[in-house]
Each structure stands twice: as structure tokens, then as C-alpha cells.
Amino acid sequence: MSADWRQRRIGDLARVVGGGTPSTGVDTYWHGSIPWFTPTEISQSGAGEVTCSKRMITPDGLENSGAKLLPPGTVLVTSRASIGNCAIAGVPVTTNQGFASLVPHDLRSSRFLYYWIQMNQNRLLGRAAGSTFSEISADELSRVDIEAPDLETQARIGSVLMDADAAIASLRGVILKKERLDRALASDLLSGRTRLPDFDSPWNPMPMRALGTLYGGLTGKSKEDFGAGSAWFVPFMAVISSARVGTDALLSVRVGSTERQHVVKAGDLLFNVSSETPDELAMCAVAGELPANAYLNSFCFGFRLRGESAEPFFLARLFRSGVGRTLMRPLAQGATRYNLARPQFAALEVQLPGLGEQREIAAVLLDAEMEMVALQRQLTKLQVVRRGMMQELLNGRTRVPLEEPTNL
């Protein structure tokens, strides 16, 4: 701890206030204009500034809830279950009993306290108690030790970290916009509503059985076989989460030299055969260059194209798009869990353009995907930098400048 930082208690910097709940049976207590937060509305990574809750209460509801109206700048801290999740009130708000919120004695402490709570959730968890559920009381939270500098330095630290959060939020906004544009572009190109230049030939129906052959995933495996051995397999979630599967997604599995298992090869299409909803059934991923001893999990099946009957990435994006979801939804069998019968899939007809147009469409969509990958990597780097900044600044190891901080 830096020499000019002092050991204090949270209660020295803020008043710790609990919450309350108006009677749900009195309609006049609800549907008002006062935000009333519950712990589920506050994220683990920090919700930033909040101004509106899912449920709002009236002044009568506040008066009969046992809760207090918390001023802007209050750090809302969850005190039950997910202890230590936090947000900053941007307007006067109130909360239910699942909070021990910090009302700073000086608003210059607000952001500092917000980031300090995020970085020190484990300290709060260690002070929690309870037999039916863990909880940290307002009194206990007020006694938690905190290392803090003077108020002006607290304000500068909070401002620097808020700039970092703003940069991350801005990049997330760009990513969300790009994702929406990518989905719209894919929908138009994969349905034929939008044609690329120099392509005007009609699309034709083609049954999947005419394009390739099906094969199954691993068989005869026990729990002990997974996580051991020198072979590899493509896990279920890798197929669900991305249109492409590479070596970074593989997990280890034990496969004997005499076992007859289907090897996954580059260009194979991988589909899940079971899901909790019809819309997630038979999501598709195309296999990249994998080791020679790579296999598929038992909850998926593979589809190997015959020669150059189709472009693999085109089909993978097709089946993941709204077009593919519309094709797959009628094939879902089940009530609580949905399954896909392979004969029905083999008989499924898809509308396809010529191979040249498929490849051009795949190239356009791959370019868009690569742009998204680059943005996601940039976001990850920013998040790593932000975590490092929190460690350095909130422990006093790195000093903030006296002048106004600049944006990332």
C-alpha cells in the first residue's frame, strides 16, 4: 500500500443501507416512478450506472417498504446469494432486501467504491454468514477494511476506470451493430433475396443425401475415457457456438487402436442431433484442419460432402441462418427435449445456387466473420487492460496524473 494511502473501513467512506419490499398485494404500491432493484438485475462484472428497474414503486410503496430512497451516486451492492455484484445509481432509486448499498459521505468516493467492490468480492464473501443462504449484513459490510487515498485521488481513479469502461461499452456497441448487419447480410445472401454481381442463374432444390453421406459420433465411451488419452474429439458446445471448428476447440479422449470410430476430416459438416428447443436443433459447423485422430462427440453427427458437390462454409452458414432454422424446425421430434432423425435429414431439400455463387457468398460471409473475430480480440485485450488497471490503481501501485485523464 502506498505511503499516502490509509487503512480505513467502508463505513468511514459511506453509510451502508439495506432495502425493503412493499406488499405485492397492494396495487397502489406498484407501477410508480421510483426504480426498485432486485439482485438479479445487477451483473457480476458491474452494471455501470443504472437508472431504470424492471419494477417501479410509488411513494406510498416506498413509505411502506422499509426501504430508503437512495441518492444518485449510491453504490448498489448485492448482499445475498451473488454477494458483491454492484452498480451506481444514476437517479434516486431503492432496492429490495438483497442489498447493502453504499451511500458515500462524499460523492468523490462513489466510483472508487464501485470498482473496489468489484475487485474485492472475495473479501465480502469471506465475511458472509447464514444457514439457509449466505448474506453479508450492512453492519458487517461497514466494518470491511479498505485501503484508500484522499478524496481527490479516489475521484481521479474512478474517472480513469470509468473511461476504460466507456471504451469497452463503445466497442461492445460496435460489435452488436456488426452482428446485426452480419445476420441481415447472411439472411439476404443465403435465401437468394440478394444476388452478388454476375450471378443470375436460378437456385435449385437438392436433397442432402445427394450432396454427401452421414456418419455418427463416438460410441462405446465411458466417462473415464474423456479428458484422457492422446486422441481428440469435437465437443458438443463447439458445434453449437460457431460456424467453424478448429484445433483450439478440441478436447482429449482415449480411443483404442482397434476401435472403429469415424474420424472428422477438414470440410466435414457437424450437426447436433439433440437440443432443448427446436430452434437450436441441427446447428452446423464446418471442420477445419484437424489432427488425424480427431473424432466427434456422441451427441452430434457428421456429414461428408462428395467431392465438390457444395461449398462447406456456405452450407454451415445456411443451416445456422433463419433459412436453415425454418428448414429444421419441422424436423424436431419431442416435447421437453428435441431430437433429429437422420433419415429425415438425408431427405431434406435445400435450395442451392451454383457452386461458384456458393463460394462467392461464403467468401463474403467469411470476410464479415473475420472482421467480427478481430473486434472480439480487441474487446478481450481491452478487458485485460481494464483488469490490470484496476489492480494497479486500486492498490496504489500506479498513480493517476493530476490532470484530467484521457480516454483509452
Side-chain angles (χ1 to χ4, degrees):
M1 186 171 65
S2 299
D4 56 345
W5 287 47
R6 291 198 297 115
Q7 184 92 2
R8 312 166 193 250
R9 290 184 171 183
I10 284 180
D12 296 329
L13 299 179
R15 180 167 53 96
V16 186
V17 181
T21 302
S23 171
T24 56
V26 181
D27 192 59
T28 56
Y29 292 168
W30 299 92
H31 314 295
S33 58
I34 302 172
W36 178 81
F37 285 93
T38 63
T40 57
E41 297 175 74
I42 309 299
S43 72
Q44 187 174 6
S45 59
E49 186 177 275
V50 293
T51 58
C52 188
S53 59
K54 293 179 181 178
R55 302 185 71 184
M56 312 281 277
I57 62 174
T58 64
D60 281 348
L62 176 65
E63 186 177 347
N64 290 279
S65 68
K68 303 293 184 184
L69 189 64
L70 304 171
T74 297
V75 183
L76 311 180
V77 182
T78 59
S79 59
R80 294 178 180 177
S82 299
I83 295 171
N85 294 349
C86 56
I88 299 176
V91 296
V93 305
T94 189
T95 72
N96 76 356
Q97 299 93 319
F99 288 82
S101 298
L102 309 181
V103 181
H105 298 318
D106 189 300
L107 278 177
R108 286 174 289 182
S109 294
S110 179
R111 293 177 178 179
F112 180 87
L113 286 168
Y114 167 72
Y115 289 108
W116 191 93
I117 292 292
Q118 284 187 52
M119 194 179 72
N120 291 277
Q121 278 188 292
N122 286 339
R123 288 203 203 184
L124 274 57
L125 290 169
R127 306 286 286 264
S131 54
T132 56
F133 56 82
S134 294
E135 179 175 16
I136 183 169
S137 67
D139 286 343
E140 190 63 30
L141 181 57
S142 68
R143 290 194 291 269
V144 171
D145 292 328
I146 179 172
E147 303 82 25
D150 62 87
L151 288 169
E152 198 58 41
T153 302
Q154 289 180 44
R156 292 202 304 273
I157 289 172
S159 183
V160 168
L161 293 175
M162 195 64 77
D163 283 346
D165 277 355
I168 289 171
S170 176
L171 184 54
R172 281 180 174 148
V174 171
I175 290 172
L176 286 173
K177 183 178 180 179
K178 291 286 187 182
E179 286 176 343
R180 288 194 295 268
L181 291 172
D182 178 66
R183 286 195 296 270
L185 176 65
S187 177
D188 286 343
L189 291 177
L190 295 168
S191 65
R193 287 194 298 269
T194 297
R195 305 293 296 273
L196 295 176
D198 303 324
F199 292 103
D200 55 11
S201 298
W203 291 29
N204 298 305
M206 185 70 67
M208 290 302 295
R209 66 164 65 93
L211 299 177
T213 56
L214 294 160
Y215 63 86
L218 287 165
T219 59
K221 293 288 137 192
S222 65
K223 182 179 179 180
E224 290 71 25
D225 290 321
F226 295 96
S230 58
W232 304 95
F233 77 99
V234 179
F236 179 86
M237 286 308 300
V239 175
I240 293 291
S241 60
S242 176
R244 296 186 301 145
V245 171
T247 55
D248 58 331
L250 301 181
L251 299 177
S252 60
V253 63
R254 185 186 295 113
V255 177
S257 59
T258 60
E259 291 185 48
R260 296 175 63 86
Q261 304 283 1
H262 294 287
V263 174
V264 178
K265 295 183 178 181
D268 285 358
L269 300 176
L270 312 177
F271 295 86
N272 62 301
V273 294
S274 180
S275 68
E276 293 183 357
T277 68
D279 284 333
E280 293 177 340
L281 187 65
M283 298 293 281
C284 183
V286 60
E289 292 291 340
L290 303 180
N293 58 344
Y295 305 91
L296 184 58
N297 72 84
S298 58
F299 299 101
C300 294
F301 68 84
F303 185 84
R304 185 160 298 154
L305 294 166
R306 292 191 185 93
E308 296 186 343
S309 59
E311 164 57 39
F313 188 66
F314 175 90
L315 286 175
R317 288 301 305 264
L318 174 70
F319 281 112
R320 298 183 77 87
S321 72
V323 176
R325 298 300 86 211
T326 299
L327 289 171
M328 287 300 172
R329 206 170 291 119
L331 304 185
Q333 300 176 354
T336 58
R337 189 161 189 88
Y338 298 88
N339 300 289
L340 175 66
R342 293 187 201 174
Q344 286 184 295
F345 176 83
L348 180 69
E349 286 192 345
V350 292
Q351 292 284 337
L352 297 179
L355 187 58
E357 188 172 359
Q358 289 181 44
R359 287 173 174 164
E360 288 296 321
I361 291 172
V364 170
L365 297 179
L366 185 58
D367 285 345
E369 181 183 296
M370 290 298 95
E371 186 177 357
M372 288 296 304
V373 168
L375 288 172
Q376 288 290 351
R377 286 175 179 163
Q378 186 180 347
L379 177 60
T380 299
K381 288 179 181 179
L382 274 179
Q383 290 169 330
V384 170
V385 169
R386 187 250 197 196
R387 284 194 295 270
M389 289 171 63
M390 287 179 68
Q391 291 287 340
E392 291 293 311
L393 294 175
L394 294 173
N395 288 320
R397 291 195 293 264
T398 296
R399 306 298 182 91
V400 291
L402 292 175
E403 63 271 13
E404 283 293 314
T406 57
N407 291 336
L408 285 185

